Amino acid sequence: MYKKILTLVLCAFFVLTGCSSKTAVKSQVSTYAVLTKKKKSELLKMKKHYDLIVVRSKGLTTEDMKVLRKKSKQIYFYMSSKKPHHKAEELKADGIFISKINDADALDALIKEANQNKLKVIVNNRETVYKNSKMVAGVNQTCMMTKKQGKKYVKQDTEVSTRLKKYLSTCQEKGIATYLVEYTKNTDWRASINAYCKKHHITYYNPTIK
């Protein structure tokens, strides 16, 4: 009984709290997936279709990109180093997904180079408000609603969740698309997170949903 009440309370918290964006950002896509843990063979065989996917560029060829284009309208290459993104240009990716680059100057240089080469940019987990969508097309946030505790996911701290919701709302005001990745396997929580994201025009992805 206690577990059921807790779930209902969390569901209400997910849906009702946070800043609401009245309209979706123009560039916001409906379906999205971060597939950086999938092998090349798995990517090429996947059945699902998306508006945007994030993949690792290692081992991909021009022919592979043709196959992936049939599965996703936009393809972004994952980047977690300060190296130039020539592979994205060579294989005509739509953009780059920048993660784990904590040096602000290095990050800004990568974004600037991508802009010059007409590559779109999604920045992961930075909580930086960028000038506009020409500079950064989107921001991705993980664990806004839940957090990992031991081997399971529990409710995110209210202070953290509120701060991240406000951050995404501010990005939307700048015309920047917003994305959320959560990992909870709890079906009630997943449904509530999905409802919140629909209401607030955030594209939600959970890799545990097959």
Side-chain angles (χ1 to χ4, degrees), residues 170-199:
T170 302
C171 288
Q172 289 175 335
E173 289 170 8
K174 301 280 185 181
I176 297 169
T178 50
Y179 303 93
L180 175 67
V181 177
E182 294 279 356
Y183 300 92
T184 179
K185 292 182 179 180
N186 183 299
T187 53
D188 290 333
W189 290 15
R190 290 194 311 207
S192 297
I193 294 168
N194 189 49
Y196 176 91
C197 288
K198 282 185 177 179
K199 179 182 176 182

Side-chain angles (χ1 to χ4, degrees), residues 2-209:
Y2 171 77
K3 204 169 182 181
K4 188 174 181 181
I5 292 171
L6 178 61
T7 300
L8 290 171
V9 169
L10 286 170
C11 290
F13 173 82
F14 290 157
V15 176
L16 298 176
T17 61
C19 306
S20 178
S21 175
K22 291 180 181 178
T23 56
V25 171
K26 275 187 180 180
S27 60
Q28 191 80 41
V29 300
S30 297
T31 55
Y32 165 73
V34 180
L35 305 173
T36 52
K37 291 189 176 180
K38 286 194 177 289
K39 296 176 183 177
K40 172 180 164 178
S41 58
E42 293 176 304
L43 289 173
L44 298 177
K45 290 178 183 176
M46 70 178 182
K47 306 265 190 211
K48 282 190 176 181
H49 289 73
Y50 298 93
D51 291 325
L52 192 158
I53 57 173
V54 179
V55 299
R56 293 186 184 274
S57 62
K58 188 178 179 181
L60 290 179
T61 65
T62 303
E63 290 304 310
D64 295 332
M65 289 294 283
K66 287 179 182 178
V67 175
L68 291 179
R69 286 285 175 202
K70 294 176 182 177
K71 302 172 187 293
S72 181
K73 294 174 185 175
Q74 295 184 61
I75 301 169
Y76 279 60
F77 284 171
Y78 178 88
M79 284 193 68
S80 59
S81 70
K82 301 171 190 176
K83 295 177 183 178
H85 29 69
H86 300 310
K87 193 83 182 276
E89 295 161 43
E90 178 192 332
L91 294 179
K92 294 182 171 55
D94 297 281
I96 56 173
F97 179 99
I98 304 175
S99 185
K100 299 180 181 178
I101 298 178
N102 297 319
D103 185 300
D105 291 336
L107 179 60
D108 288 345
L110 272 175
I111 292 171
K112 187 177 180 181
E113 185 186 348
N115 292 164
Q116 289 171 345
N117 290 290
K118 297 181 180 178
L119 287 169
K120 296 174 188 175
V121 176
I122 293 176
V123 178
N124 184 47
N125 287 341
R126 284 293 295 179
E127 288 187 60
T128 301
V129 179
Y130 295 95
K131 189 177 179 181
N132 54 48
S133 58
K134 289 182 181 177
M135 184 179 183
V136 170
V139 293
N140 183 78
Q141 191 62 50
T142 59
C143 300
M144 183 171 79
M145 305 291 206
T146 62
K147 65 178 181 178
K148 193 169 186 180
Q149 191 174 81
K151 292 184 178 180
K152 62 181 181 179
Y153 281 84
V154 298
K155 175 181 167 288
Q156 179 59 274
D157 298 336
T158 302
E159 184 182 341
V160 173
S161 187
T162 301
R163 187 187 77 237
L164 293 176
K165 287 172 183 176
K166 186 175 180 181
Y167 164 63
L168 293 188
S169 179
T170 302
C171 288
Q172 289 175 335
E173 289 170 8
K174 301 280 185 181
I176 297 169
T178 50
Y179 303 93
L180 175 67
V181 177
E182 294 279 356
Y183 300 92
T184 179
K185 292 182 179 180
N186 183 299
T187 53
D188 290 333
W189 290 15
R190 290 194 311 207
S192 297
I193 294 168
N194 189 49
Y196 176 91
C197 288
K198 282 185 177 179
K199 179 182 176 182
H200 296 272
H201 310 293
I202 299 167
T203 305
Y204 163 56
Y205 173 66
N206 188 325
T208 69
I209 300 174

